[in-house]
Amino acid sequence: MLADEVYQDNVYVEDRKFHSFKKVARSLGYDENDISIVSFHSVSMGFSGECGRRGGYMEICGFGDDVMDEIRKVASVTLCPNIGGQILTSLAMDPPKLGDGCFENFMAEKEDIRLSLAKRAKTLASAFSSLEGMTCNRVEGAIYAFPRIHLPAAAIKAAKAEGMSPDLFYACRLLDATGIAVVPGSGFHQVSGRNKATGTWHIRCTILPGEDKIKVMIPRLKEFHESFMNEFRDRS
């Protein structure tokens, strides 16, 4: 089991908690002899979100000595690991503890970041859900909203004429008109809906821009979406 667990601190709702794959496996009675687990974490994602810094670590459980020897061999031939990444990784693995002089400041700053991300998540999800033909589940964790778009048939037809998937067509038009960059959901190999002719279409939007930038972005998004839907509205 290769477990990407970089968003373990990014949980924004009280009725959800992070549970690691290792914790779940142990609670089900599986030990290292039953299942091999590698848990990955990174300073460039998750709570720290230092995207320009490349550093991370993994916990490896349930592998034999022969495999571990090979992993150490690969690690030992790394000639030029980046210094910034090493420093941040060490800080992530050993954060300030109760009794340290900076502990209160660290916890206060961490909570401020979490609350701000939660606010941005709620704001964006509400904005998407307020748009015609869009639905968006609440963002319970991580750093993305993933709204579903119900596009008019004329828009789907126009996308096909351009050789694009409908969500990519929408994303490109949005970028050209507003400068807002989103990722088309079709890039994640989503499952088609019951209607095989149209499927289901989504876009992925990050919640990382600051609260002030999101406030500026939402009116541009709404203006574009209204114009787009009017342009391709079904008139039959």
Side-chain angles (χ1 to χ4, degrees):
M1 177 72 70
L2 304 180
D4 178 356
E5 299 183 318
V6 299
Y7 295 124
Q8 55 191 262
D9 291 313
N10 296 73
V11 181
Y12 309 128
V13 292
E14 294 301 322
D15 57 339
R16 293 287 186 269
K17 302 295 180 184
F18 169 75
H19 300 281
S20 70
F21 277 89
K22 180 180 177 181
K23 176 183 176 182
V24 172
R26 298 295 180 265
S27 70
L28 294 174
Y30 297 110
D31 61 22
E32 293 188 358
N33 296 318
D34 301 309
I35 183 170
S36 301
I37 300 176
V38 182
S39 172
F40 298 96
H41 207 342
S42 168
V43 299
S44 64
M45 303 290 282
F47 153 70
S48 56
E50 295 287 350
C51 298
R53 304 290 184 178
R54 294 304 179 190
Y57 61 93
M58 56 187 177
E59 180 187 28
I60 305 172
C61 301
F63 288 85
D65 291 340
D66 54 340
V67 176
M68 295 304 300
D69 287 343
E70 295 302 318
I71 292 174
R72 295 189 185 97
K73 184 187 296 183
V74 171
S76 69
V77 298
T78 301
L79 299 179
C80 301
N82 70 90
I83 300 300
Q86 291 185 72
I87 293 172
L88 284 171
T89 300
S90 67
L91 292 173
M93 295 180 70
D94 187 25
K97 299 177 179 60
L98 184 63
D100 293 342
C102 60
F103 177 76
E104 286 77 13
N105 288 339
F106 170 77
M107 293 302 295
E109 182 175 346
K110 183 176 181 180
E111 182 63 6
D112 284 346
I113 293 173
R114 190 191 70 82
L115 290 175
S116 178
L117 286 170
K119 183 178 180 180
R120 287 177 255 173
K122 184 176 181 180
T123 299
L124 271 177
S126 297
F128 281 123
S129 292
S130 72
L131 301 178
E132 178 188 0
M134 272 204 189
T135 55
C136 186
N137 293 334
R138 68 174 181 171
V139 181
E140 298 179 347
I143 57 173
Y144 302 106
F146 210 82
R148 178 180 178 181
I149 316 175
H150 302 264
L151 293 171
I156 295 174
K157 183 178 179 180
K160 185 177 180 180
E162 295 287 340
M164 297 181 181
S165 63
D167 52 353
L168 176 59
F169 179 73
Y170 181 92
C172 289
R173 292 284 294 265
L174 175 64
L175 179 62
D176 288 340
T178 67
I180 298 171
V182 298
V183 179
S186 55
F188 300 96
H189 307 289
Q190 63 197 69
V191 177
S192 297
R194 292 181 180 178
N195 185 343
K196 299 300 183 181
T198 59
T200 59
W201 308 109
H202 298 74
I203 55 174
R204 188 183 77 168
C205 180
T206 181
I207 67 170
L208 285 179
E211 294 178 36
D212 55 337
K213 292 183 178 179
I214 287 180
K215 288 180 181 179
V216 174
M217 182 190 84
I218 288 175
R220 298 207 308 266
L221 171 66
K222 290 184 175 181
E223 181 180 1
F224 162 80
H225 186 76
E226 181 178 349
S227 174
F228 181 92
M229 295 298 284
N230 286 334
E231 179 181 352
F232 296 103
R233 190 176 304 281
D234 296 331
R235 306 191 185 280
S236 57

